Amino acid sequence: MLRSDRIKNIFGQLVDLSPEEWQAFTEHLEEVSFPKNSFLCRAGETAHYLYFIYRGAVRVYHQTEEQEFTLNFHFENEFVTAFSSFITQTPSRVNLQALEPVQASRIHHQHLYQTYQQYHHAERIGRLFAETLYVQKTNREIDLLSLSAEQQYLNLLQKNPKLISSISVKHLASYLGIHPESLSRIRHKLAVNS
């Protein structure tokens, strides 16, 4: 399967794009790769690209003078950008960092929005993705407020067990809002009970 066909399959679950609509989108796609620990976007920069990850993982985090706060992880077959910055075309407050080598396709903000203006189905896909992101963000906030760190870790582990086991304790603990020592205890407990 061609890489772009993976995006087409995801879009096809939402709407039935005509060949003309699909061509208008793909003619602006650019394939890119990022080495481990490199940045797709840094805080203070404006996010000009929306990425689709074919391989690898990306961490989204905010940094203060005292510490880092991991907001999310994005994996294979997911879209990622600094969404607030991308939508408003203002400087990002978050960093997007490759946790391992990343292969992706990207589309520039200008080209994506031109496609939205030209094609109703493209605009509908954009709206549906925005709705999905809103639901995910709301669920994440509820999880932070209502689930234990162990339950949150188990949810993340279920989503991508192989990759989660390779993410540093420091980054995972930051995502869960706990100290690395607490995450080590959770992992030990789960290993003993399995």
Side-chain angles (χ1 to χ4, degrees), residues 58-82:
V58 174
R59 178 173 74 111
V60 180
Y61 71 95
H62 174 71
Q63 180 148 13
T64 66
E65 288 183 16
E66 294 81 32
Q67 70 184 104
E68 293 178 357
F69 299 91
T70 299
L71 305 176
N72 214 338
F73 299 104
H74 292 273
F75 305 107
E76 188 175 306
N77 295 328
E78 292 183 355
F79 288 92
V80 65
T81 187

Side-chain angles (χ1 to χ4, degrees), residues 115-166:
T115 308
Y116 284 171
Q117 289 173 356
Q118 264 187 294
Y119 300 101
H120 171 70
H121 280 153
E123 187 176 43
R124 183 163 184 246
I125 288 170
R127 178 180 60 79
L128 292 170
F129 273 121
E131 290 172 357
T132 300
L133 287 172
Y134 176 78
V135 169
Q136 289 172 349
K137 182 178 183 300
T138 301
N139 287 337
R140 165 83 173 126
E141 290 169 352
I142 291 169
D143 286 352
L144 280 172
L145 293 170
S146 62
L147 296 180
S148 69
E150 183 176 330
Q151 289 169 315
Q152 291 179 65
Y153 177 73
L154 286 169
N155 287 346
L156 200 57
L157 195 60
Q158 185 177 17
K159 183 177 181 183
N160 201 323
K162 182 182 174 190
L163 203 49
I164 294 307
S165 63
S166 68

Side-chain angles (χ1 to χ4, degrees), residues 36-52:
K36 182 178 179 176
N37 296 325
S38 63
F39 290 86
L40 288 72
C41 181
R42 289 181 183 268
E45 299 173 349
T46 299
H48 293 296
Y49 292 96
L50 174 66
Y51 297 90
F52 180 80

Side-chain angles (χ1 to χ4, degrees), residues 3-22:
R3 286 183 170 183
S4 61
D5 285 346
R6 287 161 69 177
I7 303 175
K8 189 175 184 179
N9 286 343
I10 291 171
F11 286 176
Q13 294 170 18
L14 303 173
V15 297
D16 188 19
L17 288 178
S18 70
E20 180 187 358
E21 290 168 325
W22 177 241

